[in-house]
Structures are given as C-alpha cells and as structure tokens.
Amino acid sequence: MSDQRISTLDQLREHYPNEPVGPSIAKELDRISPLYARWIGASPFCVVSTIGDGGLDNSPRGDAPGFVRVRDKHTLEIPDRRGNNRLDTLRNLLADDRIGLIFVVPGVEECVRVRGRAHLSVDPELLESHIMQGKRPASVIVVTVERVYFQCARAMKRSRLWDVESQVPRGVLPTAGMFTEAAGGFDRAEREAYDAALDQRQRRTLY
C-alpha cells in the first residue's frame, strides 16, 4: 500500500471538490445565541480539547445538565471537579490558552462544538457559585468563546452510539486495574482488589 499523502490545500480541494453545504456555514456563530445556550444547558457531558508542551489532549468532563454555565453570550464557566490530579488540561491551558469543546446530550444525535480561549480562575466567589454536594471545585475554567457550531448527526448515526443493541457488556473490555497491572503497577491480587473497590470509591469521591 502506497502512502499517497495530501499535503497541500489544492490537493485537499481536488479530493473534496464540493463546496460546504449552505446551512453548515450559516449555523456557525461567534457567540452563544439563546438556542446554543439551551443546548449547552441540557448537556451533562463534554469533551475538552487542549494543547500544551506535551502535545494535544482530550479530556471528558461531566456533571448534572448545565454544569457548564453560560455566563453571557461570549463566556462559559467549567468547574474543575475532583479527579486524578494529572492536571493535563489545566497544565496545557497555562502553556496555550486555546480550547475546544464538544457538548453531548444523551439520546440526541447532534452535538455542539465550541472553540475559544480559556484561563483558570480561583476567585472565591466564583468557586462558591459552583458548589456541588457541599464541595467547591478546585478551580474554574473560564472560556472566552470565539466560534460555536451545531454538528450534524451523521457520526452518531454511523456509530449507533445511543442504540441499546450497541452497548458492550463491561466484562468484555479491560478494567482500570488491568491497565495498571500491565504497566507493572499492580500484581494480580492488587489488581483484583482495586477493581472490586473502584466503583464505590469513585461514587464516594465524585466531589
């Protein structure tokens, strides 16, 4: 198999000669409209994309619907809840403030994409406003929105993401403990004990 790369914009246009469909351009905005605000407010899950010295990174974030707050038509607030303390996203934002978000709503096949610039805030009043179950987030990612875009449903339809028939039994795939064992961090007994306690430990420490 030969590596016939596309390396120029002219080559790309040769292989994708059709112009963008009209609505795909019209629905991109430079602000959060009331309709986009409704969508973001209904989403309990988003993927955060950042870039730093170590390269690109994508991180899942989730909480009750509306956990990403629309402050105004140009600003979003994302509370940084308790996690594993790797701080990949936060370290990246200190090096490069560009950010991308994809908002997903369960059962809905479309999604919403946002890109912009972000900074970290530890303002006490802001942290207090994002309290959940009596716990303040360690920080809040404040996003200045540059572009918002409504993504069509083709990817979800092809993946059948929300179809019950597509669900994979959890026991089919490796567990968190298996990955740690394979990396040399656990022996088998430690891995089994870790996996057995993991779900309850995570539920106790969500916030």
Side-chain angles (χ1 to χ4, degrees):
M1 182 181 299
S2 61
D3 183 12
Q4 298 186 25
R5 300 188 184 188
I6 293 176
S7 55
T8 69
L9 185 57
D10 287 341
Q11 290 173 333
L12 183 65
R13 280 302 182 194
E14 181 182 349
H15 286 273
Y16 293 87
N18 296 329
E19 291 298 319
V21 178
S24 71
I25 301 298
K27 59 192 176 184
E28 180 177 3
L29 300 179
D30 62 356
R31 65 195 180 283
I32 305 168
S33 69
L35 293 180
Y36 279 125
R38 283 175 56 190
W39 191 281
I40 293 169
S43 173
F45 182 86
C46 73
V47 177
V48 180
S49 299
T50 55
I51 184 170
D53 296 337
L56 292 165
D57 182 71
N58 297 289
S59 176
R61 301 296 169 110
D63 212 326
F67 78 100
V68 176
R69 179 182 300 163
V70 179
R71 179 190 295 180
D72 57 49
K73 64 183 180 180
H74 293 294
T75 315
L76 298 174
E77 300 171 3
I78 309 173
D80 188 59
R81 304 293 184 195
R82 185 169 179 171
N84 56 22
N85 281 326
R86 283 179 54 103
L87 308 182
D88 296 312
T89 297
L90 308 186
R91 287 188 290 106
N92 282 351
L93 288 173
L94 295 180
D96 188 321
D97 67 352
R98 289 176 294 177
I99 191 169
L101 307 168
I102 295 181
F103 290 95
V104 178
V105 178
V108 179
E109 293 183 321
E110 295 83 5
C111 56
V112 163
R113 293 160 39 186
V114 174
R115 64 180 171 88
R117 306 275 177 169
H119 67 271
L120 307 180
S121 175
V122 292
D123 176 82
E125 186 175 345
L126 181 60
L127 298 182
E128 195 77 12
S129 74
H130 283 278
I131 280 182
M132 183 67 72
Q133 294 188 8
K135 302 290 181 64
R136 300 194 314 176
S139 65
V140 172
I141 301 171
V142 180
V143 180
T144 300
V145 173
E146 295 177 343
R147 287 288 182 269
V148 188
Y149 180 72
F150 186 79
Q151 180 71 49
C152 80
R154 289 187 181 88
M156 295 290 194
K157 290 183 183 298
R158 287 190 289 256
S159 67
R160 300 176 59 224
L161 184 66
W162 304 124
D163 291 0
V164 174
E165 296 80 8
S166 298
Q167 294 183 359
V168 177
R170 184 63 190 88
V172 171
L173 295 173
T175 64
M178 289 179 183
F179 282 111
T180 307
E181 181 185 10
F186 286 155
D187 60 25
R188 181 174 180 178
E190 289 172 325
R191 180 257 294 173
E192 291 176 348
Y194 179 85
D195 282 337
L198 182 60
D199 182 66
Q200 286 302 314
R201 182 168 65 252
Q202 289 176 336
R203 291 181 185 276
R204 289 196 308 269
T205 59
L206 286 177
Y207 300 96

